[in-house]
Amino acid sequence: MANKETGNIRGPGPGRPVGSVNKITGSMKEMILQAFDKAGGADWLAKQADENPVAFMGLLGKLLPSDIALSGGVALQPITEIRRIIVDPRATVEQEQTP
């Protein structure tokens, strides 16, 4: 029986495979990579990090969460102690440093 809305007999087709890149997205990514190579590649990017740190950190924020892959060399220590120290706000720096 035909679908009245689409006219398909068996239903919708298979569509694009899961995880495949959109044609426009793929071509834009290729153009951006070509422009990056022409600008100087990693050396240019390091220069941008020094000259425009806000923009560079924004770029890292967009890229790193999806690209970080930790090797076995990182050992994280759990927090085992939390201290609260009450300090007199009227005390001077010299008074705080004396035992």
Side-chain angles (χ1 to χ4, degrees):
M1 177 179 246
N3 185 338
K4 292 181 183 179
E5 292 177 14
T6 61
N8 290 338
I9 295 176
R10 296 184 187 130
R16 191 169 61 219
V18 176
S20 65
V21 179
N22 202 348
K23 289 180 184 179
I24 294 174
T25 304
S27 62
M28 281 300 294
K29 183 177 179 180
E30 186 61 34
M31 288 189 287
I32 290 169
L33 289 174
Q34 288 176 2
F36 175 68
D37 288 340
K38 286 182 182 180
D43 293 334
W44 176 81
L45 197 57
K47 181 180 173 186
Q48 294 306 309
D50 290 336
E51 294 177 0
N52 303 307
V54 173
F56 183 75
M57 295 308 281
L59 176 65
L60 286 181
K62 298 244 187 236
L63 296 177
L64 286 184
S66 62
D67 291 340
I68 289 180
L70 297 177
S71 63
V74 177
L76 300 176
Q77 297 295 324
I79 297 173
T80 57
E81 181 179 358
I82 298 175
R83 294 185 185 185
R84 290 177 116 184
I85 300 173
I86 300 173
V87 179
D88 184 3
R90 295 170 292 188
T92 63
V93 175
E94 293 82 24
Q95 290 174 340
E96 290 177 9
Q97 292 177 354
T98 58

